[in-house]
């Protein structure tokens, strides 16, 4: 079983920019199968604002052969040592919608889950640049929905120019996440996600897009003073 991780760390802008330009690869990092480095964005922030691309805050989403490879990266790699000072969650893959060329072998479903257990959701997309205005129109209400949802313990977005975007959210339960997706949450305008997905199906915003679901296995470090983000 391969292990996935999602890392958050506060870094120098030059370090983040370097990782955006050239992410770690398996050729230089034993046991690394795939990595995506991104600068954080604040969900729901104004389109033109510093909050939309925070070079001092970096995320890395990665796939590893095993936990030993993760430990070696965090201990020995220059970028890994800086990420080790932040926070990360180790995850087991459960579910996929759509497909990414970078992760071609993931099955649509891998195992079972309890509707009451915590879950991590990651989306990754390569934007059609001419569709960005449409995407912002339909996507921003969804950003605010996920950001403010009582079922999330952490929700954020990230990007790598010019066209890669991602979201990352930790949910108290699979049930609450699925209720949000289908517009059944007890919040204002609960159908924002469902409406945006219908618009995407009508005319896609992306060259490729995938939503991935994971079971959190363990969390390490702290993020903005919080060391317990994953629900127990």
């Amino acid at each position: 079983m391969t292990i996935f991780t999602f890392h958050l760390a506060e870094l120098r802008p030059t370090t983040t920019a370097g990782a955006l330009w050239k992410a770690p690869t398996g050729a230089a990092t034993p046991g690394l199968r795939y990595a995506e480095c991104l600068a954080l964005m604040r969900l729901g922030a104004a389109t033109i604002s510093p909050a939309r691309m925070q070079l001092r805050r970096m995320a890395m989403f990665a796939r590893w052969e095993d936990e030993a490879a993760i430990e070696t990266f965090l201990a020995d790699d220059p970028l890994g040592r800086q990420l080790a000072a932040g926070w990360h969650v180790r995850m087991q893959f459960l579910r996929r919608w759509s497909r990414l060329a970078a992760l071609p072998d993931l099955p649509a479903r891998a195992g079972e889950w309890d509707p009451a257990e915590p879950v991590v959701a990651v989306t990754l997309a390569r934007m059609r640049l001419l569709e960005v205005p449409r995407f912002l129109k339909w996507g921003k209400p969804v950003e605010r929905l996920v950001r403010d949802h009582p079922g999330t313990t952490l929700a954020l977005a990230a990007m790598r120019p010019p066209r890669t975007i991602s979201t990352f959210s930790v949910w108290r339960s699979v049930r609450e996440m699925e209720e949000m997706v289908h517009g059944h949450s007890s919040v204002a305008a609960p159908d924002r996600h469902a409406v945006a997905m219908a618009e995407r199906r009508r005319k896609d915003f992306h060259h490729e897009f995938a939503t991935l679901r994971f079971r959190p296995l363990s969390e390490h470090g702290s993020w903005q003073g919080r060391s317990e983000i994953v629900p127990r």
Side-chain angles (χ1 to χ4, degrees):
M1 180 184 70
T2 59
I3 301 290
F4 286 80
T5 56
F6 199 96
H7 304 255
L8 298 171
E10 296 188 348
L11 305 175
R12 294 188 301 273
T14 53
T15 301
T16 300
L20 297 185
W21 178 256
K22 187 176 181 180
T25 64
T29 306
L32 176 65
R33 300 273 293 274
Y34 159 77
E36 190 88 48
C37 293
L38 310 110
L40 290 194
M41 301 189 296
R42 184 168 62 84
L43 284 173
T47 303
I48 307 299
S49 74
R52 290 305 279 188
M53 186 172 178
Q54 305 173 21
L55 286 177
R56 293 185 181 277
R57 295 176 175 174
M58 197 191 91
M60 187 176 85
F61 174 58
R63 183 183 188 182
W64 308 86
E65 291 180 3
D66 51 36
E67 293 206 59
I70 303 170
E71 297 291 351
T72 299
F73 172 74
L74 295 174
D76 298 341
D77 185 90
L79 178 61
R81 287 195 294 269
Q82 296 189 64
L83 292 175
W87 173 88
H88 75 274
V89 60
R90 301 182 187 187
M91 309 177 293
Q92 174 190 356
F93 170 73
L94 292 175
R95 189 78 161 87
R96 167 185 60 77
W97 288 266
S98 298
R99 187 182 297 274
L100 290 176
L103 297 168
D105 62 323
L106 292 182
R109 185 182 180 114
E112 302 296 327
W113 51 81
D114 185 329
E117 72 174 290
V119 67
V120 174
V122 176
T123 66
L124 274 169
R126 318 297 182 192
M127 292 294 303
R128 299 181 188 272
L129 294 181
L130 294 179
E131 295 297 328
V132 168
R134 276 185 64 242
F135 173 77
L136 292 172
K137 174 185 175 180
W138 295 96
K140 278 193 175 183
V142 179
E143 290 183 9
R144 292 189 288 269
L145 169 65
V146 175
R147 181 194 67 194
D148 301 334
H149 198 285
T152 59
T153 60
L154 181 67
L156 51 82
M159 67 178 298
R160 178 169 58 83
R163 66 177 68 241
T164 298
I165 61 170
S166 176
T167 64
F168 171 81
S169 53
V170 181
W171 292 81
R172 298 185 188 278
S173 69
V174 173
R175 181 182 297 108
E176 288 175 289
M177 183 190 70
E178 291 181 340
E179 288 174 348
M180 182 279 297
V181 168
H182 297 297
H184 300 153
S185 299
S186 299
V187 299
D191 62 344
R192 282 171 278 177
H193 185 279
V195 169
M197 292 302 99
E199 178 65 14
R200 184 179 74 84
R201 289 191 294 272
R202 185 185 72 82
K203 184 179 181 182
D204 207 340
F205 311 116
H206 315 106
H207 287 290
E208 60 174 356
F209 171 87
T211 297
L212 307 172
R213 177 186 295 183
F214 299 92
R215 173 177 290 122
L217 300 174
S218 61
E219 63 180 320
H220 306 260
S222 63
W223 175 245
Q224 298 185 322
R226 299 173 60 193
S227 58
E228 294 185 2
I229 295 171
V230 177
R232 302 299 178 188

